Amino acid sequence: YLANVYGSALLLCWPCVLYSIYLDTPEGYVWTEETLAQTRRNLTVAVDWITRQAEAYRAAPKLYYDQGEGDLTAFVSCPVELTEDATSGNDFYDYVDTLTAAVDTDAIARAYGTSSIGYLIFVPAAGCSYSILHYLEDGEYYLNEFSCLYLYDVYEDPGTFEGPAVYAHEILHLFGASDLYEDSSDVYVTPELTGYVARQWPDAIMYY
């Protein structure tokens, strides 16, 4: 069964759906027309960039994603405060698992001709975006792979929107790309490798 090997987002060379789930709360973490438009612009730029980069490797991925038409989008009122601390850790991962399990994947497969689905969890707050992936040793856990994407860049001045480069970086994680910077959690990303990448490709999306 492919999902046990790859997780929900299969190979980048195959058609894939990026399903957007927008979290909000009654306490003020909400989406506006402006912030939704900014998020969708970022996503469009990221997907276009990934597609162009793949062409250099003679791959032609087809990524279907939310463009404001509604069929690849869900808005969910979240029971926890949408701070960075509350939207990371096992409790939150389990919560996202319940959200992704409720998505009608059969309908998506019929409409788009693919069962490869990566989930994008959008949080209208500041934070450090991250991805949760499936590894073979996880067994039945984390099969539904997702990227948690914050609206605001926690490393910049308050109110600074996260940029499309971060979206592209996190989406590429869903297809197996590793962090190539120092302190990467991948055991084979050694200081020698990060040094080589820094010298040869200082602007690499997974390095910087």
Side-chain angles (χ1 to χ4, degrees), residues 112-188:
Y112 294 94
T114 180
S115 59
S116 177
I117 303 174
Y119 297 91
L120 308 179
I121 311 301
F122 291 102
V123 179
C128 181
S129 298
Y130 65 89
S131 297
I132 294 296
L133 313 176
H134 176 74
Y135 295 91
L136 199 59
E137 56 267 30
D138 292 334
E140 296 299 318
Y141 292 98
Y142 306 128
L143 283 173
N144 290 341
E145 298 169 306
F146 71 90
S147 295
C148 183
L149 302 170
Y150 293 92
L151 178 60
Y152 300 112
D153 188 336
V154 73
Y155 298 111
E156 300 292 342
D157 293 335
T160 301
F161 288 120
E162 191 74 279
V166 172
Y167 285 33
H169 177 104
E170 296 303 332
I171 289 168
L172 286 170
H173 274 315
L174 299 179
F175 299 101
S178 297
D179 288 321
L180 297 177
Y181 49 73
E182 189 176 354
D183 297 327
S184 170
S185 60
D186 289 296
V187 295
Y188 60 85

Side-chain angles (χ1 to χ4, degrees), residues 5-204:
V5 178
Y6 293 108
S8 62
L10 304 179
L11 300 180
L12 186 57
C13 59
W14 298 352
C16 183
V17 165
L18 298 173
Y19 189 92
S20 295
I21 299 176
Y22 295 90
L23 302 183
D24 59 22
T25 72
E27 288 77 33
Y29 293 91
V30 297
W31 292 96
T32 66
E33 289 186 9
E34 177 194 7
T35 55
L36 272 175
Q38 177 65 43
T39 297
R40 286 168 172 153
R41 281 194 297 270
N42 281 354
L43 184 55
T44 297
V45 171
V47 169
D48 286 349
W49 184 87
I50 290 170
T51 302
R52 291 197 309 273
Q53 292 296 308
E55 289 171 354
Y57 296 89
R58 300 182 181 180
K62 181 59 180 176
L63 298 176
Y64 301 98
Y65 61 98
D66 169 34
Q67 300 181 66
E69 297 169 357
D71 62 329
L72 296 180
T73 309
F75 289 85
V76 177
S77 183
C78 186
V80 301
E81 189 177 13
L82 295 178
T83 61
E84 184 176 20
D85 286 344
T87 51
S88 59
N90 289 334
D91 288 344
F92 184 73
Y93 306 158
D94 290 343
Y95 171 67
V96 171
D97 194 50
T98 65
L99 297 181
T100 56
V103 174
D104 189 346
T105 54
D106 289 339
I108 289 174
R110 289 193 299 270
Y112 294 94
T114 180
S115 59
S116 177
I117 303 174
Y119 297 91
L120 308 179
I121 311 301
F122 291 102
V123 179
C128 181
S129 298
Y130 65 89
S131 297
I132 294 296
L133 313 176
H134 176 74
Y135 295 91
L136 199 59
E137 56 267 30
D138 292 334
E140 296 299 318
Y141 292 98
Y142 306 128
L143 283 173
N144 290 341
E145 298 169 306
F146 71 90
S147 295
C148 183
L149 302 170
Y150 293 92
L151 178 60
Y152 300 112
D153 188 336
V154 73
Y155 298 111
E156 300 292 342
D157 293 335
T160 301
F161 288 120
E162 191 74 279
V166 172
Y167 285 33
H169 177 104
E170 296 303 332
I171 289 168
L172 286 170
H173 274 315
L174 299 179
F175 299 101
S178 297
D179 288 321
L180 297 177
Y181 49 73
E182 189 176 354
D183 297 327
S184 170
S185 60
D186 289 296
V187 295
Y188 60 85
V189 180
T190 62
E192 291 78 13
L193 177 56
T194 58
Y196 179 80
V197 172
R199 292 189 301 272
Q200 297 295 321
W201 302 292
D203 295 324

